């Protein structure tokens, strides 16, 4: 279950103060260090005016409003630092017009998913949303739609105002429920691009304990799948080079392995056996899981 934290900090800091603190004092590759910084996220949340001030500034020039925001309008990008960024998430209730017009699924409600990064979040405004929490073993998953996953229910909890939760990368799953009224959370997001590109993020069907599909956006896996499907001999040679290249990310190599196994089912066992010996543990673990499932067929 995600780690629930409490902070009694009363002081308030600016966004600039917070970014400076994270850059100087937080090891973003160390979950314990991120957890230890919870008091400073609470101090930022104690600042009750900075979000309104930022929105007011940006509205003065709507042509550049949130121009560096890669997410949906549900997200307000606040600041960027080295290997992290700070954002606010908006959580409308079912009674809000925007939910009625777009549907609750547009706001990730009742869509169980994990995250391919660690992050720290605090309830900043409103009653906050509830979540049903689950856990799974990412290393034992290939990642295809319909794949059965051992998902363990861990309970329901809320992200009420001033409460803090640390979500663990590729381990915690949550299904968010709409709040009773409009709410807002603040997030410290780790942003190691090479790590994120290596790791899939999933939507889950909790009732059937299975994967629905990918939650993260990337064109690489689809392009590789298309290349294996329609490419010529030169294309397939390149795909085999990708599969055997340590310069490629694990995520790309896993997709390449899956695509080649689909195109060459008669060679699937030998491909998987070869890849199971890879020094890339993510790739090797995926191959071993596939080998085990092949043996049961």
């Amino acid at each position: 279950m995600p780690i629930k934290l409490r902070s009694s900090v009363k002081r308030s800091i600016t966004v600039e103060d917070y970014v400076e603190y994270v850059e100087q004092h937080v090891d973003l590759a160390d979950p314990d260090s991120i957890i230890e910084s919870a008091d400073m996220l609470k101090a930022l949340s104690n600042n009750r005016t900075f979000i309104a001030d930022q929105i007011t500034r940006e509205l003065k020039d709507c042509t550049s409003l949130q121009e560096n925001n890669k997410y949906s309008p549900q997200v307000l990008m606040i600041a960027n630092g080295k290997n992290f960024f700070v954002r606010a998430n908006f959580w409308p209730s079912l009674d809000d017009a925007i939910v009625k017009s777009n549907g609750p699924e547009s706001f990730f409600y009742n869509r169980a998913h994990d995250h391919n990064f660690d992050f720290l979040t605090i309830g900043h405004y409103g009653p906050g949303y509830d979540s049903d929490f689950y856990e799974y073993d990412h290393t034992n998953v290939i990642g295809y739609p319909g794949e059965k996953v051992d998902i363990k229910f861990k309970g329901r909890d809320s992200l009420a105002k001033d409460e803090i939760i640390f979500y663990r990368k590729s381990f915690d799953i949550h299904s968010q429920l709409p709040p009773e009224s409009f709410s807002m959370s603040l997030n410290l997001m780790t942003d190691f691009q090479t790590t994120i590109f290596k790791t899939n993020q999933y939507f889950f069907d909790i009732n059937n304990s299975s994967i629905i599909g990918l939650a993260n956006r990337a064109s690489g896996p689809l392009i590789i799948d298309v290349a294996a499907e329609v490419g010529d001999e030169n294309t397939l040679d390149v795909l085999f080079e990708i599969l055997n290249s340590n310069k490629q990310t694990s995520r790309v190599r896993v997709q390449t392995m899956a695509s080649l196994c689909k195109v060459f089912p008669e060679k699937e066992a030998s491909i998987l056996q070869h890849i199971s010996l890879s020094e890339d543990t993510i790739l090797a673990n995926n191959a071993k899981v596939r080998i085990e499932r092949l043996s049961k067929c």
Side-chain angles (χ1 to χ4, degrees), residues 22 67 74-75 79 83 113 127 149-150 163 205 210 217 245 276 284:
V22 174
E67 59 185 355
Q74 186 180 5
V75 171
N83 294 326
H113 59 282
V149 179
D150 183 14
E163 292 188 335
D205 181 341
S210 62
R217 297 170 293 176
S245 173
S276 68

Side-chain angles (χ1 to χ4, degrees), residues 27-48:
D27 179 356
L28 294 159
D30 180 1
D32 289 336
S33 181
I34 298 172
I35 290 170
E36 289 171 2
S37 74
D39 281 346
M40 292 300 285
L41 184 60
K42 173 63 162 57
L44 176 62
S45 186
N46 288 341
N47 183 335
R48 309 309 299 175

Side-chain angles (χ1 to χ4, degrees), residues 128-139:
Y129 60 82
D130 287 350
S131 287
D132 287 330
F133 292 117
Y134 307 84
E135 294 176 1
Y136 83 114
D137 182 359
H138 183 92
T139 62

Side-chain angles (χ1 to χ4, degrees), residues 82-100:
K82 184 178 179 181
N83 294 326
F84 74 94
F85 59 92
V86 185
R87 72 180 190 183
N89 274 43
F90 307 130
W91 305 103
S93 74
L94 291 179
D95 293 328
D96 286 322
I98 194 167
V99 176
K100 291 180 178 179

Side-chain angles (χ1 to χ4, degrees), residues 9 43 64 92 108 125 127 136 152 154 191-192 201 256 263 288:
V9 168
S64 61
F108 281 76
Y125 180 89
Y136 83 114
K152 297 179 174 64
K154 292 298 179 177
D191 187 23
F192 296 93
Q201 180 182 1
T256 305
V263 173
K288 290 173 184 177

Side-chain angles (χ1 to χ4, degrees), residues 114 136-143 147 149 169-171 199-200 202 254 281-290 292-293:
D114 70 337
Y136 83 114
D137 182 359
H138 183 92
T139 62
N140 198 36
V141 168
I142 297 173
E147 178 183 2
V149 179
K169 167 191 169 185
S170 300
F171 187 77
T199 309
N200 285 335
Y202 302 113
V254 167
T281 55
I282 295 174
L283 181 66
N285 286 339
N286 271 267
K288 290 173 184 177
V289 170
R290 283 179 173 268
E292 182 179 350
R293 293 185 180 180

